[in-house]
Amino acid sequence: MTTWYEGPLAAFDTETTGVDVETDRIVSAAVVVQDAPGTRPRVTRWLVNPGVPVPGAATAVHGLTEEHLQRNGRWPAPVMYEIAEQLAEHAAMGRPLVVMNAPFDLTLLDRELRRHRASALDRWFEARPLRVLDPRVLDKQLDRYRKGRRTLTDLCGHYGVTLQDAHDAAADALAALEVVRAVGRRFAARLERLSPAELHTLQTDWHAAQARGLQAWFARSGSEEIVSTDWPLRPELPAAA
């Protein structure tokens, strides 16, 4: 029987105007689907005119200028609907969705849907729930004592995954997908008997524990930064933009 990490996977990634899920906007997104390791991935891309200024710091990361997005990007409302519809299709097919640092990208998508479609992301998964695989959460749980950062670039280096065109949504999504396959193989003894649904539930607890540990570290360092324990989607805040 094919294990989940050797079977069909989808992956989702975004590029944005910044790192605040409540106020920043999606400027590009991609969904990548791979039916089996080594097979040619199918890629869907979206370019978005966010309707707000694009800070130079964001452009320095992903290379998308405000002028380029105004000229070539689509309005957010239909794009967010199309993304949600495609993610729902993968859920309906039972295809797990890989999302690196899922609370960031999925919460941003939720806020964009609320902003432009007056609808929450959860609505698309009422019939069939989304099963998320987050390489960051998996790696931190399964190799918790390894020192060093765990960005996508770091994980690619650690697991021998090639990342070309970093901070391109499609390239990052494909790399995250390959990292998840590599994590599955490396920790097969601990993962192969678990279904994506079971892993989704476990990651909820793992992420919460990881967040509490980071919060404690911040407290010891004198930082007032708040770390959310919610995964893979943060609840809406009353004052959300």
Side-chain angles (χ1 to χ4, degrees):
M1 182 177 177
T2 302
T3 57
W4 58 264
Y5 51 84
E6 301 291 1
L9 294 175
F12 172 61
D13 189 72
T14 66
E15 297 300 328
T16 69
T17 60
V19 296
D20 188 330
V21 296
E22 302 298 338
T23 60
D24 280 306
R25 310 298 175 90
I26 293 172
V27 297
S28 71
V31 172
V32 175
V33 181
Q34 189 183 50
D35 294 325
T39 61
R40 185 180 181 86
R42 303 187 297 279
V43 180
T44 305
R45 300 172 182 266
W46 294 270
L47 193 65
V48 186
N49 177 358
V52 299
V54 179
T59 297
V61 172
H62 49 60
L64 299 170
T65 66
E66 185 173 337
E67 180 183 4
H68 177 77
L69 293 169
Q70 289 176 348
R71 187 170 61 248
N72 300 290
R74 298 170 58 201
W75 287 113
V79 170
M80 302 311 152
Y81 179 85
E82 290 170 14
I83 294 172
E85 283 284 293
Q86 188 162 143
L87 297 187
E89 289 176 11
H90 294 306
M93 297 174 67
R95 185 178 286 136
L97 182 71
V98 175
V99 190
M100 174 72 183
N101 191 17
F104 179 76
D105 294 86
L106 293 182
T107 302
L108 263 168
L109 176 59
D110 175 78
R111 302 310 191 253
E112 290 279 49
L113 286 165
R114 293 174 186 270
R115 185 178 292 122
H116 298 290
R117 306 290 309 194
S119 182
L121 180 60
D122 285 343
R123 184 184 76 77
W124 271 266
F125 305 105
E126 292 172 348
R128 186 71 181 265
L130 190 64
R131 306 304 187 191
V132 176
L133 300 171
D134 188 332
R136 184 181 184 190
V137 174
L138 292 171
D139 175 71
K140 289 181 73 173
Q141 175 66 25
L142 297 165
D143 198 359
R144 66 177 70 182
Y145 300 113
R146 188 177 82 250
K147 295 184 182 298
R149 302 193 313 163
R150 302 185 193 236
T151 66
L152 179 59
T153 299
D154 297 319
L155 294 184
C156 286
H158 182 71
Y159 288 100
V161 172
T162 300
L163 173 57
Q164 297 179 334
D165 301 321
H167 300 297
D168 170 84
D172 287 356
L174 179 59
L177 186 153
E178 295 288 3
V179 167
V180 162
R181 292 200 191 279
V183 170
R185 295 183 193 112
R186 184 168 300 186
F187 299 98
R190 299 166 65 181
L191 295 177
E192 63 183 356
R193 296 179 182 275
L194 296 171
S195 69
E198 291 170 326
L199 263 178
H200 182 102
T201 300
L202 286 169
Q203 286 171 101
T204 303
D205 296 333
W206 293 346
H207 176 270
Q210 293 164 9
R212 288 192 293 269
L214 182 58
Q215 187 72 76
W217 185 86
F218 280 143
R220 292 193 299 271
S221 303
S223 171
E224 297 181 356
E225 185 170 348
I226 302 299
V227 183
S228 173
T229 59
D230 294 290
W231 183 96
L233 180 66
R234 298 177 193 174
E236 184 186 24
L237 298 177

